[in-house]
Amino acid sequence: MRHDASPQRCCGRPPACRRRAALLLAALVVLPTGLLAQEPDLGTEAQRAAGRQVYLEKCAQCHGENGDGQSYATPFLRPAPRDFTAGIFKFRTTPSGELPTTDDLRRSIREGMPYTSMPAWRGVLSSTEITNLAYFIKTFNDDFTGPYGVPTVVEIPRDPGFDEDNLERGRQVYEENQCADCHGNQGRGNGPSAPTLEDQWGFHIRPADLTKRWTFRNGQTRRDIYRTFTTGLDGSPMPSYDMPEEDRWALVDYVWSLSRSEPNYATAAYSHAVEGPLDLSRGPALFEEAEPAYFPVVGQVIEPGRSFYPGVNGIELRAVHNADEIAFLVTWHDLRADTRGRNGPDLPAPMNEPARPDTATTFSDAVALQFPATLPTGVERPYFLFGDRKNAVDLWFVDLAEGTGRRYIGRGYRDLQPASDGPPIEVRTAYDDGAWQVLFKRARLAGEGLSFPEDTFVPIAFSVWDGFNQERGNKRGITSWYAVYIAPLEQPAALGPALGYGLATLLLGLALVGYTRRKYRTATA
Amino acid sequence: MNLLVFAAVLAAMLAVRFFLKNLHILVWLALWWVALFVVFKYGIEPPLPASIVNMFMAIVTLALLAYLSATTSYLRQATEAVVRFMVDRRFTVPLVVVLLTVPALVAWQVYAERTARPTPPVSGRTIHPPPPNTISFKGKTIDLVNGENPYRALETSDPEAFAAHVENGRRIYYENCVFCHGDNMEGDGLFAHGYDPLPANFNDPTTIAMLQETYLFWRIAKGGPGLPSESTPWASAMPAWENFLTEEEIWDVILFLYDYTGFRPRAREEIH
C-alpha cells in the first residue's frame, strides 16, 4: 500500500507539516509515558566547529555558505544541490517525513550520489571529518535540536538473498503499487507520469531508470533498494510503501532482475559479418548475432549550447555487415518519445539557458552517428565536437519527428553543411516502451569519403538530443570518439596453424632428447 | 610504482637467499626470472603494455643466460642437470609430460592469438607537452617563459584583493570546470567517465604542482585544439577557454586551483 495517493500529492505536502502532525501524535501517546528522554545526537561544539571548516572548504561551493543550496554551481546542477535549511532529506533509514539519523547523513557524504554532481567523499575526508560534517549540517535546521531530532529508525532485516521464485510475486508487487506509473513497464524510467514529476522545489525530476542499477542515487545494494522504497525519498515524488516483509524482498528481487550492476562501458563495437542481405525491415532481429557495445553519453558543456544535465546517459550500438553493406542499430532510454516539433544539429542554442522541461514540445528527439569524413590514415581524428577546419566529420542525423536520415559535413558546430553526395543512408526508427531504436544502413564502401573496409577500426561518436530537455543544435548529449571494428568476411584459419606449430615443437623436442641420449650413450660407452 | 609489490618481491628473494641454502643454480635463475616478471607486470603504475613487458623479459632471459655461461662451474652444473633429466630413467614420466605440454601450450597460444579480437588503437597522451614561448591571447602576446600571473604578487602586497581574485576563480571553476575535473579537483567530475584520456587530476603532485602558472594559462586558454601538432595524437577534450573567459578570469581560476589544492606553482628558473 502506498502511503500517498499520488506522487504529486506527496511532494505537495511538505514533510515539515507531516512532522508536526507526527509530533502531536507523539505528544498525546508517548509523552505521558516519558519515553521521549532520548537526546538528539548533535555532537560537541568542537565537532560542529570542525565540521564547519570542512563544509566551507568542500561543500559550500554547491550547497551554499548558508546551507540553502544556493551557490555558483546551482543553476548548472540537476538534481540541484540539497537545501539543508528545509530539513527535507531523500536518503534516510527513518520513516517518511522524519529527519535522517547522523549515520544517514554520514552515508550520503561518504558514498555520494552516483551520476550526479555529488561525489563520494570517502577517501578524501576521514571518518571523523565526515562525522563532524554531519553534525554541522544538522545546525542548518532547528528541527534537529528539538524532539524531531530523535527520529525512529526503520530496521532493515537480514537479506534472504536473491530468489528467482520470487520474481513472479515481485512483478505483481510492482504492478499493485503502480511502480510502472513513473518507472515504466520495463523499469526504464518512462512511466506515463514521468514527464510531469516535480520535486519539492518545483524542478522536474526523472524517475530512476531501474535497468541501470549503477545510477541509483541511494545506493545499488539489495539493502539500499529495500531502504529506498521502504522509507521513500522525501522531497521527491518517490513515496514510502507499506507491505509485508516477503513482498518487500520480492520487489527487491524483481528490481534486481531488471538491472545490471555495472555499465561495462565499451571502447569499441565489433561489427558482425553476415552472409545474407541486410534487411532493415527485420528490425532489431537483424542484429541478434551482433554483440552490443554500451558507451557513456555526457553533456556537451564545452561550447555554446551547454547541456549540464543531458536527458540520456548512455547509448548502445550493434553493427552487422556483409560484402556490400553495413547496418547499425543504436538504442537508448528516453522517458518520452518527442516526435513533435523539429530538431537539427545546426539549430541555434544559447551558451547557457535555465533548465526547464519542454512542455511545448518545440524540439523533437534526435540522434546522430559521427564518423570522420574520410578515414584517417594516421592516428589523428577530427575534433570530437562536430569536427574541425582541417578534419571534417560525416554526420548521419535523424530527426525522430521525421524518421528519415540526413547527412551533414561538419567542420565545427558553426560550420555544418547538408551533404547530398555519397551513398544514401536508409533509416528506420521505433520507440518501444522507453527505448528508442534507430537503424541505419549504407553501402560499406564508397569511392571517395567514408568507407568501412574489412579489418579496420572506424572511429565513431554519437550525439543524442532529448527534445523533452529542450536539446537541439549544440545543446546535446555527446560521446567522445570510440571505434567500430569491421570484422573480415573470411576469418583467417586458426586451427591448422595451431596444430602445425604444436607438431613442429613436438618434433623439435623429440629430436633434442634423441640427440642428447645418443650423445650420452656414446660418451659413456 | 607499487612499493608493496617491490617490498614483497625483495622480502621473498631475501628469505630464499638466507633460508634455502645450496639452491641449484637453475632454480635460483628461475626465481630471479619470476621475481623480475612480477615486478614488471604488477610493480609499475600505470601498468606497462604487454609488449614492453615481453621485451624486458627477453632481455632478462638473455642476461640470466649470460650470467650462467660466465662461470664454468655453474654452466656445467646446469648442463648436467638438463642432460640427466633427458637421459635418466627416473625422469621418463616427467620428460614425456614436458615433451607433450610444451607443444600443447605453443598450439594453444597460436590458436588464441589467431582468434583473439583485435584491440582498438590506443590514443596516446603526452603528460606535459612542450609549451611554445609565447601565445597570442585575443590579440595580446603572453610570454610563457618569463611571464607571471599578474595577480600572484597581491598574495603578499594586498591579501584582501588576492582573496577576491581567488574567490572569483572559485566561481569560474564551479561554473565551468567542475563537470569534468570534479569537486575535489581529482579529474573525476560528473562527465569525466565520458573521456579518454581522463581529465587532469590537480591533486596529483605531478600535475599543477610541477608547472608554472603560465603553463596552466596556455593549457586553459588554448585547450585540446591548441596543442602542438608534433607528438600527436591528442585526444584531449579540454576546450579552448579563450573563447569564453577573459584573461583575468583565467589567471583567477589558476590562483584558485593552487589555493584549493595547497600546492605552490613552480617558480620560474632564474638564469644567472
Side-chain angles (χ1 to χ4, degrees), chain A residues 82-270:
Chain A
R82 184 98 322 211
D83 167 6
F84 298 127
T85 63
I88 301 168
F89 291 83
K90 281 160 94 174
F91 309 130
R92 307 168 331 281
T93 53
T94 64
S96 184
E98 291 202 32
L99 289 172
T101 65
T102 310
D103 273 349
D104 291 342
L105 294 174
R106 285 163 41 85
R107 188 183 59 244
S108 292
I109 301 167
R110 201 174 58 231
E111 306 300 332
M113 275 121 231
Y115 290 79
T116 76
S117 42
M118 174 71 183
W121 290 97
R122 63 176 134 65
V124 176
L125 299 177
S126 70
S127 171
T128 318
E129 285 174 310
I130 290 176
T131 306
N132 294 345
L133 255 181
Y135 287 137
F136 178 66
I137 285 166
K138 288 186 170 189
T139 66
F140 286 125
N141 187 292
D142 288 341
D143 281 356
F144 278 108
T145 56
Y148 311 111
V150 191
T152 345
V153 173
V154 176
E155 290 298 332
I156 299 179
R158 207 183 59 82
D159 176 11
F162 180 74
D163 183 352
E164 217 173 311
D165 295 340
N166 271 342
L167 290 183
E168 191 43 48
R169 178 63 196 140
R171 168 82 214 176
Q172 281 169 12
V173 176
Y174 189 81
E175 275 163 17
E176 284 163 14
N177 289 284
Q178 291 144 26
C179 302
D181 275 7
C182 297
H183 294 288
N185 278 329
Q186 299 182 61
R188 290 171 181 159
N190 62 309
S193 323
T196 62
L197 300 179
E198 285 184 353
D199 70 5
Q200 186 80 35
W201 291 264
F203 299 126
H204 176 258
I205 187 168
R206 284 170 186 266
D209 183 336
L210 300 181
T211 67
K212 299 177 180 178
R213 207 186 302 155
W214 62 91
T215 66
F216 290 2
R217 314 282 196 243
N218 197 13
Q220 61 151 298
T221 67
R222 292 169 52 85
R223 289 176 66 85
D224 292 334
I225 297 167
Y226 184 103
R227 192 178 60 241
T228 299
F229 65 77
T230 300
T231 66
L233 304 182
D234 285 0
S236 91
M238 175 73 186
S240 63
Y241 291 88
D242 198 7
M243 60 182 90
E245 168 92 26
E246 306 85 66
D247 283 359
R248 287 180 200 275
W249 287 117
L251 185 56
V252 170
D253 285 342
Y254 182 66
V255 171
W256 197 253
S257 74
L258 290 176
S259 58
R260 290 209 313 257
S261 65
E262 290 292 330
N264 297 326
Y265 292 130
T267 52
Y270 290 80

Side-chain angles (χ1 to χ4, degrees), chain B residues 151-163 264:
Chain B
Y151 308 106
R152 176 59 69 186
L154 294 173
E155 198 172 6
T156 44
S157 67
D158 187 350
E160 216 164 281
F162 182 76
R264 300 296 303 173

